[in-house]
Amino acid sequence: METSPFLAKRNIGLDFLRAILILEGVLYHAARSLPGDNNKWYYIADKNESVGFSALIEFVHTFRMEAFFFLSGMFSAMVILRKGKAFFIDNRKKRVLLPLVGAFAFIPPVMYLITAFIDGETITNNGLLHSWGYLHHLWFLVSLSIMSLIIPVSWCEKISLWFRALPLPVIAALVIIACNFFFVVKFLVKDWGELVALLPVTARFFIYYVAGYALYVNRDQIPQIKTSFILKSWLLLPFGLMTYLSFYFILDRQIEGVVKYIPTLIASVFSVLFSFWLVFFFEKMAIKESKAVKLVVDSALVVYIMHYPVVIFLSWYADSWLGKAWPLSYVATITLIGLAVSFLLYVGVNKSKVLSMIFGLKKSSIRSSIFPQRSE
């Protein structure tokens, strides 16, 4: 039986996967208010620590953005090869750079006002001005803008040619080594300021981006790639379990020092292999383009941008609703309310022509899903 070419047409499964990877950040940021290894977070709740749940959140966080940038590189290659570099650049300006500028105009000052209120600090004009020195959760849009608009496409094309001559285990090894190198660099410069630390972070995620780019460019080799033993479920599933247990062990024993980064090292291997596996798994999923799925896909970016100050404020405000023995209910409450409020903000953005343009939304992406037009 003849199989259809890889991504011969729009794949709803991969669009949905990208949206889920973005939206999982709402849960992650809600969970960071739990006690544990989050002393630098905006607000730490008066709740009992849940080691098992915290380990799960940290485990998911080790591959969430990795897989997202992998998908971004793959979709970038698809757009460039189908519609050309000029269209791709124009599209990235509208769908990535403009939303970044629009979000950066209000997210930092709103975050300053919220954190000052939570900490009981006096709000000053100087503090408000300095708030624009922090990116908060918008860093990934900066990194994606650099990859799409500053790093030459020719780099991705050359690396794709190099990857073509290598078997998947060698490609995976090179990606793992490069990513860990930039992780160490980030660790060394973490005290030099957020913007400096963003450079090795962007370089690290560019490795995933270019790996996804190369996968699409060399899509004729996918039948051979899929058969590689390192992508077999019988290997990845126990490897994922081992990665999770390593996080659990470190958190449960409250281990400090260099040893605490061992789970991150293990996860760096898992995240590379799992990124390939996720793409192939969701590409074959029989997900139909229903109104609900389309709504999740279309709203994901705006919901993610809007959720951050909402979730941080809720983390403080909802702390008194539940007792110390209810940490998971606390996180679930913040996550659900945060998603609901952020979605309502998305509805408002989408109904405004100016705001929908700023946030890179497609025309009428929500009206047809929630507010169907009446027939005359």
Side-chain angles (χ1 to χ4, degrees):
M1 181 182 296
E2 185 178 352
T3 58
S4 60
F6 182 72
L7 293 186
K9 57 183 180 180
R10 182 185 179 190
N11 187 280
I12 305 303
L14 291 180
D15 283 341
F16 188 67
L17 171 60
R18 180 169 55 178
I20 293 302
L21 290 172
I22 294 175
L23 293 176
E24 195 279 331
V26 182
L27 173 63
Y28 174 72
H29 292 138
R32 292 209 67 186
S33 288
L34 290 180
D37 192 24
N38 297 321
N39 295 330
K40 294 183 179 181
W41 194 239
Y42 302 95
Y43 179 77
I44 304 300
D46 183 25
K47 296 288 180 286
N48 292 339
E49 186 176 358
S50 176
V51 176
F53 180 71
S54 295
L56 178 62
I57 292 297
E58 291 300 320
F59 166 63
V60 173
H61 189 59
T62 60
F63 64 79
R64 181 179 72 88
M65 294 308 299
E66 287 77 356
F68 171 81
F69 279 100
F70 187 92
L71 276 172
S72 297
M74 194 177 67
F75 285 134
S76 295
M78 182 177 66
V79 172
I80 290 172
L81 292 179
R82 289 183 181 180
K83 299 187 177 182
K85 295 180 183 179
F87 177 88
F88 170 74
I89 295 297
D90 183 65
N91 179 268
R92 293 300 87 185
K93 288 179 180 178
K94 294 177 180 177
R95 302 295 299 277
V96 178
L97 184 59
L98 191 55
L100 168 61
V101 174
F104 190 69
F106 72 92
I107 288 292
V110 169
M111 285 302 303
Y112 167 69
L113 295 175
I114 290 176
T115 53
F117 179 77
I118 291 175
D119 296 335
E121 297 178 353
T122 302
I123 296 173
T124 64
N125 291 333
N126 191 48
L128 196 62
L129 183 62
H130 280 83
S131 68
W132 277 285
Y134 300 93
L135 293 172
H136 301 287
H137 67 312
L138 301 178
W139 67 267
F140 85 101
L141 287 175
V142 177
S143 295
L144 196 55
S145 296
I146 293 173
M147 297 173 197
S148 304
L149 302 173
I150 297 180
I151 295 178
V153 173
S154 59
W155 289 17
C156 297
E157 294 171 344
K158 289 179 181 178
I159 296 175
S160 297
L161 291 176
W162 297 341
F163 278 13
R164 185 174 182 83
L166 301 174
L168 183 61
V170 176
I171 293 174
L174 291 174
V175 171
I176 292 165
I177 293 171
C179 288
N180 280 309
F181 170 78
F182 288 115
F183 177 80
V184 172
V185 174
K186 179 208 168 185
F187 180 81
L188 294 175
V189 303
K190 65 179 182 178
D191 296 327
W192 294 11
E194 185 179 17
L195 295 180
V196 174
L198 184 61
L199 294 176
V201 169
T202 300
R204 178 175 177 271
F205 284 116
F206 176 69
I207 303 300
Y208 282 91
Y209 179 91
V210 78
Y213 192 102
L215 178 65
Y216 184 81
V217 170
N218 301 314
R219 59 195 179 281
D220 60 301
Q221 295 186 335
I222 286 179
Q224 291 77 29
I225 293 175
K226 284 184 176 180
T227 61
S228 177
F229 75 95
I230 63 175
L231 298 184
K232 298 299 182 182
S233 299
W234 58 262
L235 175 66
L236 279 176
L237 293 179
F239 191 19
L241 178 61
M242 180 184 72
T243 307
Y244 164 74
L245 291 176
S246 67
F247 278 105
Y248 181 89
F249 180 82
I250 294 296
L251 290 176
D252 185 56
R253 301 298 177 89
Q254 299 181 347
I255 297 176
E256 296 294 334
V258 178
V259 178
K260 69 180 291 186
Y261 292 104
I262 290 179
T264 304
L265 180 63
I266 299 173
S268 69
V269 179
F270 176 77
S271 64
V272 172
L273 305 183
F274 196 56
S275 293
F276 281 93
W277 186 89
L278 272 177
V279 166
F280 297 143
F281 181 80
F282 275 83
E283 190 258 340
K284 290 299 182 183
M285 285 189 69
I287 299 179
K288 296 182 180 179
E289 190 175 5
S290 65
K291 290 183 178 180
V293 170
K294 186 176 186 300
L295 196 56
V296 171
V297 171
D298 291 343
S299 65
L301 179 60
V302 175
V303 169
Y304 182 77
I305 289 174
M306 297 296 185
H307 90 278
Y308 204 70
V310 175
V311 165
I312 301 304
F313 178 77
L314 284 172
S315 298
W316 167 79
Y317 187 69
D319 192 12
S320 60
W321 294 1
L322 296 167
K324 295 182 64 173
W326 298 88
L328 300 189
S329 298
Y330 168 75
V331 172
T333 300
I334 297 171
T335 302
L336 292 176
I337 297 178
L339 283 170
V341 173
S342 302
F343 181 77
L344 290 177
L345 292 172
Y346 161 73
V347 173
V349 168
N350 197 275
K351 294 179 71 174
S352 166
K353 291 183 179 180
V354 174
L355 291 178
S356 60
M357 179 192 68
I358 291 175
F359 286 95
L361 298 178
K362 297 178 181 179
K363 295 180 179 180
S364 303
S365 61
I366 192 172
R367 293 182 180 88
S368 59
S369 299
I370 299 182
F371 309 116
Q373 296 180 353
R374 295 179 180 177
S375 57
E376 297 295 336

